């Protein structure tokens, strides 16, 4: 059974709509669990407070990592895969019963793993490197979740086959769905890596297998751990293109190039996992250099294409709507009152200037040595997975609430401020952690002062300032996340029902008028912004090589 959306004109499969809703709800629950743990960890790492003891610190590091990096993001991405393969294509869901089985496996895995962690039987952190051993149910929970996610990905491909066979869309997949297909292909590779390592580790925890080699475990595990974040990148960029169309009627100024960039992601982005192995003796220097330079640059090229294509789609559309004065009238007259739009623009800025620059620098074999085991690495994660992916997912939710849940957004004025508060909070948190790492603050240790150790180390006095700044950023990010969760919960439960386009608080724009012939660049403002980004990147690149030279000064 279908309903026709009176706002977008899409045919919405009601079974698909239910599955989108339940996966989105569990994503929000997972995020709530993650941020509660996160704020406790922030006040523990901040030495003047040092809230938790060592045992609960490592327990909550495990709990936070699993809920933030795995459960929250994958539940939301499954909802997105279903949306992109049915609603956007005006198609039916291929196997609703299997969809519910997939959801049941994922939900069971979430509950099982979290309960075991909180019982104190899996204090192994997210990576769970062997020979650290957790309770067998911890590994079983992750395996169940991964199997459910894999079934969901297979259903996504099944939906695409039905849509193609029944000719529910045009000659080619919409760019949004094409990007999600990229994410799904990377997901298959990622989940295969997880199965290869987690199944024998589960058997090892049961005593069936005697030993799991730590070097082998780490090599294969990062095929899951880091590659799962590449699923996020593909899904995140896909949403950027979608919000461009929804908010201003924008489309990629060269869709073929945008699609080719997604193909580069499939071929090369998983190689970024190598940067977690650069200090390991188990792989050769040639392997490290190849994966973190020549091959990685092709994935970076893909991101640079999107970094120009997405903002230029906004600019081109705005100029076609008549905002042509100077270089940046298109930006000043953009729909900043639309929280989905502002969230995506801020996500692009944060992902590029914080996550992207540090990702390339820290992913190189030489400069990685400076920060590999410092707090700068999780600081980089905050710039990519949190400012980039999480803020993007928050932004698109402001469209999903009225379009899928058919409810008005409760507290819309507050919703307009929420992306800004979250961006400022995570930016402060991320930059502070990166600077602390450059100053030598360790990455995983509960007590970064190493009090009671036989040897003392006095950090640069600037460390105290950045610890305080990190705490401030963490508090702002925590509060803005709670605001978002409350807005979502109240909107889908007590929000006024949407009865038609007149109830929409967010604009759904028609496609921008065709471009007129003109001389010069179609998106000159985006070109200037891209050049600014490249200058910032060059400056940071130079500084890191300068620090490396100072570190390894040999006379």
């Amino acid at each position: 059974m279908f309903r026709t959306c009176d706002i977008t004109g899409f045919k919405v499969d009601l079974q698909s709509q239910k599955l989108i809703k339940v996966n989105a709800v569990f994503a929000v629950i997972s995020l709530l669990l993650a941020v509660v743990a996160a704020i406790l960890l922030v006040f523990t790492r901040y030495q003047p407070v040092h809230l938790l003891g060592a045992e609960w610190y490592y327990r909550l590091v495990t709990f936070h990592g699993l809920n933030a990096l795995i459960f929250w993001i994958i539940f939301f991405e499954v909802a997105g895969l279903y949306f992109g393969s049915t609603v956007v294509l005006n198609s039916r869901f291929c196997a609703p019963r299997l969809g519910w089985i997939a959801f049941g496996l994922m939900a069971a895995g979430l509950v099982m793993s979290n309960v075991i962690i909180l019982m104190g039987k899996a204090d192994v952190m997210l990576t769970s490197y062997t020979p650290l051993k957790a309770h067998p149910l911890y590994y079983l929970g992750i395996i169940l979740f991964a199997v459910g996610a894999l079934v969901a990905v297979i259903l996504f491909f099944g939906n695409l086959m039905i849509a193609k066979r029944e000719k529910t869309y045009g000659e080619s997949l919409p760019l949004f769905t094409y990007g999600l297909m990229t994410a799904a292909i990377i997901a298959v590779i990622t989940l295969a890596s997880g199965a290869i390592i987690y199944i024998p580790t589960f058997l090892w925890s049961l005593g069936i297998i005697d030993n799991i080699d730590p070097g082998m475990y780490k090599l294969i595990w990062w095929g899951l751990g880091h590659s799962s974040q590449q699923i996020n990148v593909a899904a995140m960029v896909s949403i950027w293109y979608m919000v461009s169309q929804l908010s201003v009627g924008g489309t990629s100024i060269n869709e073929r190039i945008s699609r080719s960039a997604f193909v580069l992601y499939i071929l090369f982005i998983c190689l970024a996992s190598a940067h977690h192995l650069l200090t390991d003796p188990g792989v050769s220097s040639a392997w490290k250099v190849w994966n973190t330079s020549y091959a990685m640059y092709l994935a970076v090229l893909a991101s640079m294409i999107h970094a120009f294509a997405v903002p230029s789609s906004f600019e081109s559309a705005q100029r076609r709507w008549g905002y042509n004065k100077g270089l940046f009238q298109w930006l000043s007259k953009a729909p900043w009152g639309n929280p989905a739009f502002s969230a995506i623009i801020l996500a692009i800025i944060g992902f590029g200037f914080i996550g992207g620059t540090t990702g390339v620098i820290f992913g190189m074999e030489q400069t990685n040595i400076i920060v590999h085991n410092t707090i700068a690495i999780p600081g980089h994660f905050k710039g990519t997975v949190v400012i980039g992916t999480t803020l993007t997912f928050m932004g698109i939710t402001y469209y999903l609430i009225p379009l899928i849940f058919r409810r008005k957004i409760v507290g819309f004025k507050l919703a307009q401020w929420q992306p800004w508060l979250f961006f400022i909070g995570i930016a402060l948190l991320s930059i502070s952690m990166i600077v602390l790492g450059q100053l030598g603050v360790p990455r995983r240790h509960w007590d970064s002062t190493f009090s009671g150790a036989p040897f003392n180390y006095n950090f640069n006095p600037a460390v105290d300032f950045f610890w305080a700044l990190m705490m401030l950023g963490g508090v702002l990010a925590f509060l803005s996340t709670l605001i978002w969760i409350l807005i979502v919960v109240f909107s889908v439960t007590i929000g006024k029902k949407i009865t038609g386009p007149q109830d929409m608080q967010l604009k759904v724009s028609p496609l921008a008028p065709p471009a007129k012939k003109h001389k010069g660049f179609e998106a000159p403002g985006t070109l200037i912004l891209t050049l600014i980004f490249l200058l910032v990147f060059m400056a940071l690149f130079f500084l890191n090589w300068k620090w490396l030279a100072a570190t390894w000064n040999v006379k």
Side-chain angles (χ1 to χ4, degrees):
M1 292 180 63
F2 290 89
R3 69 171 175 86
T4 300
C5 180
D6 50 9
I7 298 165
T8 61
F10 288 136
K11 287 174 61 180
V12 181
D13 182 338
L14 297 182
Q15 288 293 330
S16 179
Q17 179 176 273
K18 291 176 183 177
L19 286 165
I20 293 168
K21 286 181 177 180
V22 294
N23 280 282
V25 167
F26 266 68
V28 174
I29 293 170
S30 303
L31 181 60
L32 177 61
L33 296 174
V35 297
V36 170
I39 195 64
L40 296 173
L41 293 173
V42 166
F43 279 104
T44 302
R45 290 308 303 263
Y46 182 57
Q47 291 300 128
V49 178
H50 212 43
L51 183 64
L52 301 174
E55 184 177 353
W56 270 100
Y57 168 76
Y58 290 109
R59 188 164 300 159
L60 289 186
V61 167
T62 309
F63 186 82
H64 169 71
L66 201 59
N67 283 283
L69 292 175
I70 305 297
F71 296 151
W72 142 246
I73 286 177
I74 293 181
F75 265 120
F76 198 96
E77 285 170 346
V78 167
L81 290 176
Y82 292 163
F83 179 80
S85 61
T86 59
V87 177
V88 173
L89 301 183
N90 300 294
S91 184
R92 60 186 175 88
F93 200 92
C94 64
R97 288 185 180 179
L98 270 180
W100 287 107
I101 291 172
F103 168 74
L105 290 171
M106 293 170 67
L110 177 148
V111 172
M112 186 180 295
S113 296
N114 278 330
V115 168
I116 293 298
I117 292 170
L118 294 177
M119 288 174 65
K121 297 182 178 181
D123 297 339
V124 293
M125 300 197 289
L126 175 66
T127 49
S128 56
Y129 290 149
T130 59
L132 293 175
K133 184 183 288 187
H135 191 280
L137 291 180
Y138 170 77
Y139 302 111
L140 181 60
I142 295 175
I143 291 169
L144 289 176
F145 184 87
V147 170
L150 182 58
V151 171
V153 171
I154 293 170
L155 291 172
F156 167 80
F157 288 117
N159 293 339
L160 294 187
M161 290 175 64
I162 286 177
K164 183 175 180 61
R165 186 177 64 199
E166 298 181 354
K167 298 180 180 179
T168 61
Y169 60 92
E171 293 182 2
S172 61
L173 284 173
L175 185 58
F176 169 67
T177 305
Y178 188 89
L180 291 181
M181 183 175 67
T182 301
I185 293 170
I186 297 172
V188 173
I189 300 168
T190 301
L191 292 169
S193 299
I196 289 170
I197 197 58
Y198 266 120
I199 291 174
T201 306
F202 170 61
L203 297 175
W204 168 69
S205 71
L206 290 171
I208 298 173
I209 292 177
D210 292 333
N211 180 57
I212 298 290
D213 180 75
M216 180 272 294
Y217 176 96
K218 188 176 181 182
L219 174 66
I220 299 174
W221 191 90
W222 278 112
L224 165 73
H226 197 278
S227 296
S228 62
Q229 309 318 312
Q230 316 309 341
I231 306 170
N232 307 338
V233 172
M236 171 186 74
V237 173
S238 303
I239 292 173
W240 291 353
Y241 283 112
M242 184 181 188
V243 171
S244 174
Q245 182 169 336
L246 288 173
S247 60
V248 298
T251 55
S252 174
I253 59 176
N254 191 322
E255 196 165 297
R256 286 187 177 181
I257 297 296
S258 293
R259 289 173 187 263
S260 68
F262 280 120
V263 174
L264 288 175
Y265 275 162
I266 296 171
L267 296 175
F268 298 106
I269 199 168
C270 291
L271 301 177
S273 304
H275 88 78
H276 292 280
L277 306 167
L278 295 179
T279 58
D280 284 27
V283 290
S284 69
S285 294
W287 183 91
K288 294 174 184 177
V289 170
W290 170 258
N291 281 282
T292 59
S293 56
Y294 306 106
M296 186 182 74
Y297 296 153
L298 293 170
V300 174
L301 172 63
S303 290
M304 291 302 297
I305 291 171
H306 293 308
F308 183 83
V310 175
S312 65
S313 72
F314 285 107
E315 179 178 0
S316 176
Q318 286 288 85
R319 290 186 180 279
R320 283 181 275 156
W321 287 119
Y323 301 114
N324 285 304
K325 292 182 180 178
L327 285 173
F328 298 114
Q329 190 195 31
W330 64 274
L331 193 58
S332 65
K333 296 295 185 181
W336 292 106
N338 179 338
F341 173 85
S342 60
I344 266 55
I345 294 297
L346 294 172
I348 292 170
I349 293 170
F351 183 83
F353 281 87
I354 301 175
T357 55
T358 57
V360 175
I361 293 168
F362 295 169
M364 296 181 64
E365 184 181 18
Q366 298 89 338
T367 47
N368 181 275
I369 293 172
I370 307 174
V371 296
H372 181 77
N373 282 316
T374 74
I375 200 172
I377 298 300
H380 155 71
F381 296 162
K382 301 296 183 290
T384 54
V385 182
V386 187
I387 287 187
T389 304
T390 295
L391 186 52
T392 295
F393 289 179
M394 287 177 169
I396 194 60
T397 303
Y398 291 120
Y399 272 115
L400 294 179
I401 290 171
L403 295 178
I404 296 298
F405 289 88
R406 301 294 292 178
R407 299 278 185 171
K408 294 185 72 171
I409 297 168
V410 173
F412 187 70
K413 289 289 185 184
L414 193 57
Q416 291 175 310
W417 284 100
Q418 183 272 327
W420 294 91
L421 292 173
F422 187 83
F423 171 79
I424 293 169
I426 296 297
L428 289 175
L429 181 72
S430 178
I431 292 170
S432 299
M433 293 173 77
I434 291 168
V435 174
L436 287 168
Q438 298 283 8
L439 294 172
V441 174
R443 176 178 175 182
R444 297 180 177 92
H445 204 280
W446 161 73
D447 181 2
S448 55
T449 64
F450 293 99
S451 57
F455 302 101
N456 293 323
Y457 179 77
N458 295 318
F459 289 103
N460 187 305
V463 161
D464 295 332
F465 170 76
F466 285 102
W467 273 125
L469 200 63
M470 188 199 83
M471 184 188 68
L472 174 62
V475 171
L476 273 177
F478 174 72
L479 292 176
S480 59
T481 304
L482 287 186
I483 290 170
W484 179 80
I485 291 172
L486 290 173
I487 289 171
V488 170
V489 171
F490 285 127
S491 297
V492 300
T493 54
I494 63 172
K496 293 182 179 179
K497 290 186 177 181
I498 297 285
T499 59
Q502 70 280 358
D503 293 329
M504 279 294 291
Q505 297 152 295
L506 276 66
K507 177 184 177 183
V508 177
S509 175
L511 288 177
K516 298 178 181 178
K517 290 185 179 180
H518 63 281
K519 294 181 180 179
F521 294 106
E522 186 171 343
T526 301
L527 179 62
I528 297 299
L529 294 174
T530 304
L531 292 174
I532 292 171
F533 167 78
L534 290 174
L535 288 173
V536 170
F537 172 72
M538 289 171 61
L540 292 173
F541 193 84
F542 170 80
L543 281 174
N544 276 270
W545 277 95
K546 179 67 176 174
W547 287 328
L548 179 65
T551 301
W552 295 101
N553 183 29
V554 179
K555 296 182 179 179

